Amino acid sequence: MHAPRRSHLLAPACALLLATPLDARAAPRFDDALDNLGAQACGGGGCWTNYLRVADLDLDDDLDIVFVNYSGFFSMGAPQPLVTMVNNGDAVFTDHSDTILGGYTERLRQVAIGDVDGDGAPDIVAPSAWGDASALFINNGDGTFDEEGAARLPATSVYAGAVRLGDVDGDHDLDIVIGDGYAQGAGHPTVAALWLNDGAGVFEDASGGLPTDKQGYDPDDIDLVDIDRDLDLDLLINVHAGKSSLWLNDGGGGFTDATDQLADMPGPPNQGGAYHYNMSPCDVDGDGDLDLWIDNTGPGYTEQLMINDGAGNFTDETGARVSGNPGSDDNGVLCADLDDDGDLDAVVLALNFGQATTERLLVNDGDGNFTYESGAFPNVLDPTLWGEFGDLNGDGKLDLVTGQGEGNPELNRVYLGNAALPADSNPPRFPIVEALGDIETDTPRDVRFAVVDNAVTDGGPRLLEASVEYELDGEAQPALTAWAMGGDLFVAEFPGLQAAAVVTYRACATDLAGNVGCAEEQSFTVQDEPGTTASGSSGDPSETGDPSTTDGDPTAGPTTADSSPSTSDGPTTDGDDDDDDDGTDSEAGADTDGSDGGCGCASGDAPQGLLALVGLTLLGVGRRRRTARVNTAGRRVA
């Protein structure tokens, strides 16, 4: 029996549920498609699924499923198989774990999926949850994997409660960040580990420079996201007990503890702060920065909503913004636009540990105010621990996969969007696009931007492609392929331009439903010698260090008004830019002289093998069917 976690919650939670009218249920927006998963692992009754990812593993343009299993929360527990379910394109899945991963079995809490070696195919990072050897599965390009952890990962023991991939040091490859010390209690000396990528998928332990202060313990979820909108990846560490941590990135992979900028997590008074399992960052009020949902830490075992001021300072506004949410012992919140009105609703993942509750929908009014909608999901009472949205059958609608554990049976589920759920018709949006200062000729330069689409996942937005279109003195150039950094951030690189010119550019993206969005244009100047004025829309020298796109006003900060998507024309698709993976490496080495052009961005050399990567992804374009279900160009973060 695992450590006490739930039983003392039942009385107050059930009382709240009994006081909540559950009979006035609307028609569900989703249909239960349990049979689409076929015979499930662990003897047919389902494993204890702590986590899952929805990703295209075999590069056939549909979304497969990875179920991450391990029996128990805070005990050593029994190892269970890492399960991979292959999609036939119509959301019917078959367990191919033996052929794809060689029947790998271990104690795992989470995995991360992304292209770590720059070959255009998604790999799987699987750090041990109990101090054993961690695994790294390298994709052969066909959805089969070789386990190469011993050769590629540090020989460092971790107790991984969570893991993410992201470019934390700005060198154009994906690093590994691990929530460390899971199930080890308050005495564990660290809360996170950092493994830096050398560009070819070999990692070095760089954990020694991380903060060690913490106000909580047993990390069970982390997120690499741009909290303060300075266009690098900050780190949120959700802990099971106590206050979670916020670490801000200096742009080069150095982190500073900024936990005090988070609002307190009071939770129920009889618990001294509720246990919590998932911190979900998404922009709920449309102001361009990332707000935070946290399960169980609101009043009466409800979800807590923290609002970001744009600089990463959070205020608890749950009481003013969320109404009707029944109290329940929950395991997370997902952000997705289920009514296709252009804002992100919230879906609560309910444990149903002896309680009559299922997944539930909180509808956003567009300004970040949420109202509970009863009956959005079928009345299935199962112990959900995790979930993720994605279009599984190519109909343009979001579907939901949920993973079950801590109950019997533990059958994972697929919910397919039905006629009550609209298809995605909104183009990607751009909360922030980097404003570049003037540069000298023959000087490569990164441009970074954020993208939001109709669902937030741990691998970032799912896009068909992302790019930067640009002109030199009014003459169109081949678009620059953008690759995913992690979170909602993307980056493209301007090559070393040879002639003095005015460069006009804009970020663009196409989502899996074919919706095209582009940000407002910006400009900078290429000069034979360094200039003294910055570009952007105003030419104000102070704008050099301002990454926002707000009317050339360097004090305005990021907004969505000036980067609203345009659907008049799509991204350029000529040459090397027609790429269907999630983030490529640049074609030229980045500026390594220490100059960042005034924007504070960190650059580095592109990994080897890029030309082969571009060729592979171009071949992939010709085989798309319906709408391709892969992430953006080149370096995948699935």
Side-chain angles (χ1 to χ4, degrees), residues 54 152 217 289 332 337 596:
V54 175
R152 292 177 178 268
Y217 57 90
D289 56 44
D337 184 7
D596 62 40

Side-chain angles (χ1 to χ4, degrees), residues 206-277:
S207 306
L210 294 177
T212 57
D213 292 340
K214 56 185 178 180
Q215 299 183 33
Y217 57 90
D218 291 340
D220 49 23
D221 189 34
I222 61 174
D223 288 288
L224 278 172
V225 288
D226 182 14
I227 287 296
D228 51 5
R229 279 300 183 227
D230 61 353
L231 293 164
D232 57 37
L233 292 172
D234 307 307
L235 180 59
L236 283 163
I237 307 172
N238 187 78
V239 295
H240 177 249
K243 187 174 182 178
S244 294
S245 295
L246 168 61
W247 297 351
L248 297 180
N249 193 342
D250 64 5
F255 292 90
T256 301
D257 190 345
T259 300
D260 289 344
Q261 294 179 200
L262 294 176
D264 288 335
M265 301 176 181
N270 69 327
Q271 228 184 313
Y275 295 142
H276 43 108
Y277 303 88

Side-chain angles (χ1 to χ4, degrees), residues 150-529:
R152 292 177 178 268
L153 297 178
T156 305
S157 292
V158 291
Y159 294 83
V163 60
R164 293 292 183 274
L165 284 166
D167 183 5
V168 302
D169 52 2
D171 64 352
H172 297 181
D173 56 38
L174 297 178
D175 308 303
I176 300 172
V177 180
I178 296 170
D180 192 12
Y182 176 77
Q184 302 305 298
H188 193 78
T190 62
V191 70
L194 172 61
W195 296 347
L196 294 179
N197 193 338
D198 70 353
V202 178
F203 294 84
E204 178 183 2
D205 191 351
S207 306
L210 294 177
T212 57
D213 292 340
K214 56 185 178 180
Q215 299 183 33
Y217 57 90
D218 291 340
D220 49 23
D221 189 34
I222 61 174
D223 288 288
L224 278 172
V225 288
D226 182 14
I227 287 296
D228 51 5
R229 279 300 183 227
D230 61 353
L231 293 164
D232 57 37
L233 292 172
D234 307 307
L235 180 59
L236 283 163
I237 307 172
N238 187 78
V239 295
H240 177 249
K243 187 174 182 178
S244 294
S245 295
L246 168 61
W247 297 351
L248 297 180
N249 193 342
D250 64 5
F255 292 90
T256 301
D257 190 345
T259 300
D260 289 344
Q261 294 179 200
L262 294 176
D264 288 335
M265 301 176 181
N270 69 327
Q271 228 184 313
Y275 295 142
H276 43 108
Y277 303 88
N278 166 268
M279 185 179 290
S280 185
C282 63
D283 180 10
V284 304
D285 51 6
D287 62 356
D289 56 44
L290 296 173
D291 311 301
L292 294 178
W293 283 103
I294 308 99
D295 62 292
N296 286 349
T297 57
Y301 305 97
T302 58
E303 281 54 58
Q304 185 179 17
L305 178 58
M306 297 185 187
I307 300 299
N308 192 341
D309 70 353
N313 300 294
F314 292 88
T315 304
D316 183 352
E317 299 188 12
T318 310
R321 290 180 176 268
V322 184
S323 61
N325 183 22
S328 169
D329 189 7
D330 301 316
N331 269 74
V333 182
L334 305 178
C335 297
D337 184 7
L338 296 188
D339 48 10
D340 196 42
D341 63 353
D343 56 49
L344 292 171
D345 308 304
V347 171
V348 180
L349 302 173
L351 178 75
N352 184 43
F353 193 72
Q355 306 167 19
T357 182
T358 185
E359 277 62 74
R360 57 189 185 272
L361 172 61
L362 304 176
V363 179
N364 192 342
D365 68 354
D367 294 320
N369 303 303
F370 292 83
T371 304
Y372 171 53
E373 178 185 300
S374 175
F377 290 89
N379 191 27
V380 176
L381 304 180
D382 53 11
T384 301
L385 300 185
W386 208 270
E388 187 169 317
F389 281 102
D391 180 6
L392 301 177
N393 55 5
D395 62 357
K397 300 181 179 184
L398 287 172
D399 310 303
L400 176 63
V401 182
T402 65
Q404 272 62 244
E406 199 182 4
N408 188 22
E410 294 169 346
L411 294 175
N412 299 326
R413 290 188 179 269
V414 168
Y415 295 103
L416 298 178
N418 59 28
L421 191 78
D424 179 20
S425 67
N426 288 295
R429 303 181 299 282
F430 300 83
I432 184 171
V433 176
E434 188 170 17
L436 301 180
D438 297 342
I439 62 174
E440 191 175 358
T441 56
D442 200 26
T443 304
R445 179 64 190 276
D446 283 352
V447 57
R448 299 165 294 179
F449 56 95
V451 182
V452 61
D453 198 42
N454 67 335
V456 176
T457 79
D458 288 339
R462 291 196 179 92
L463 303 175
L464 184 62
E465 64 179 4
S467 62
V468 172
E469 298 179 347
Y470 75 106
E471 297 178 349
L472 294 179
D473 287 337
E475 182 176 346
Q477 307 296 311
L480 305 172
T481 297
W483 63 94
M485 296 175 61
D488 61 2
L489 295 184
F490 291 77
V491 61
E493 185 185 61
F494 284 101
L497 301 174
Q498 301 301 313
V502 174
V503 179
T504 303
Y505 66 97
R506 63 176 184 170
C508 293
T510 306
D511 66 22
L512 300 191
N515 302 305
V516 178
C518 287
E520 292 295 319
E521 289 186 345
Q522 299 188 74
S523 63
F524 63 91
T525 301
V526 181
Q527 306 178 68
D528 290 329
E529 296 182 0

